[in-house]
Amino acid sequence: MFVTFEGCEGVGKSTQVKMLRDYLDRTGQPAVYVREPGSTHISEQIRNIIANPENTEMTDITEAMLFAASRAQLVREVIRPALERGELVICDRYVDSSVAYQGYARGMGVERIKQINAPAIDGLLPDVTIFLDLRPSESWRTFKNTDRLEQESADFHDKVYDGYIAEIKGSNGRIIPVKPDFDKKVTAERILEVLREKGAIK
Ligand code: TYD
């Protein structure tokens, strides 16, 4: 099964992926863990270009295509082969991030972003997507504000959130919103419950 995590910056997504990993390791359930953009030699190089704050001249379309290029490599080099071997794949961000960040927040248009990503994902959508449902302006955590996208305005990040919310409706139940609790263990339990229900984990 293919499981992805989505959410705005500062909502504790990476912590939750790590807690899920700890649980699966502890209970002897193997999985392949990847993050976007990155997780292949080529995709990590693309990640550096995207994140570099010196790249102020990067156009929206370049950014969108770099995310798609990183994804194309990851799907073919890691995700699809692992799924074909029958393994569980857990990915921190995937195409829904491009839809929310580039499609909605950058205003490039959802259909355009889906078109750019179609050859990258080649029909591969997650079985389950956990969306950590917290509006960034209401988040109790703070951004690191080090990379190019994190430096965007609060308004940009709220648009990302609205984009995700809009996508949930059309996802036929694939994207499942999970409310983060102040207690990260409570959030982790909520996520395990959803993944058990979907048959992704035991
Ligand atoms: P990362 O440091 O991994 O952030 P996070 O911990 O929040 O996942 O950086 C990824 C950044 O790239 C983040 O700001 C979200 C953004 N992004 C897009 O804009 N489009 C995409 O398709 C993906 C995968 C990420």
Side-chain angles (χ1 to χ4, degrees):
M1 272 197 142
F2 182 26
V3 173
T4 61
F5 277 75
E6 296 286 350
C8 298
E9 250 102 323
V11 300
K13 183 171 50 60
S14 306
T15 304
Q16 288 303 323
V17 173
K18 193 181 170 300
M19 288 176 83
L20 173 63
R21 183 177 192 155
D22 289 345
Y23 169 81
L24 293 177
D25 285 349
R26 230 177 21 248
T27 53
Q29 304 184 62
V32 171
Y33 298 90
V34 284
R35 66 155 185 190
E36 278 213 85
S39 294
T40 73
H41 183 61
I42 291 168
S43 308
E44 288 292 333
Q45 293 175 73
I46 296 172
R47 179 187 180 92
N48 290 336
I49 300 172
I50 295 170
N52 189 344
E54 284 171 13
N55 286 337
T56 50
E57 67 274 41
M58 190 179 297
T59 69
D60 290 353
I61 187 73
T62 308
E63 179 183 280
M65 292 178 99
L66 285 173
F67 279 116
S70 161
R71 184 164 297 133
Q73 187 66 29
L74 181 62
V75 165
R76 285 157 185 80
E77 195 179 319
V78 182
I79 300 177
R80 184 163 280 145
L83 292 172
E84 279 169 1
R85 290 191 302 267
E87 294 169 6
L88 170 64
V89 177
I90 294 169
C91 189
D92 187 343
R93 298 194 180 281
Y94 190 59
V95 66
D96 299 309
S97 283
S98 283
V99 171
Y101 281 77
Q102 282 67 50
Y104 285 92
R106 286 258 189 258
M108 291 185 69
V110 172
E111 279 322 306
R112 192 147 162 248
I113 291 303
K114 287 186 177 170
Q115 271 169 19
I116 291 170
N117 276 279
I121 65 171
D122 194 28
L124 181 67
L125 279 177
D127 297 292
V128 190
T129 298
I130 301 286
F131 170 62
L132 288 172
D133 187 355
L134 192 62
R135 188 176 278 283
S137 54
E138 288 164 10
S139 169
W140 50 81
R141 290 164 219 260
T142 49
F143 297 167
K144 298 177 294 273
N145 270 330
T146 50
D147 77 25
R148 213 172 42 81
L149 276 136
E150 283 168 352
Q151 288 171 357
E152 288 289 342
S153 66
D155 183 51
F156 176 88
H157 289 285
D158 274 345
K159 277 193 202 147
V160 170
Y161 178 83
D162 294 336
Y164 277 125
I165 294 300
E167 278 304 295
I168 290 172
K169 295 188 182 81
S171 81
N172 287 320
R174 171 178 64 83
I175 308 177
I176 314 236
V178 172
K179 281 265 172 231
D181 191 273
F182 185 74
D183 181 350
K184 60 188 178 196
K185 287 190 191 136
V186 172
T187 313
E189 266 311 317
R190 287 177 186 162
I191 291 169
L192 290 182
E193 241 168 70
V194 171
L195 294 180
R196 283 192 197 107
E197 208 171 284
K198 292 281 174 185
I201 64 166
K202 282 178 268 165

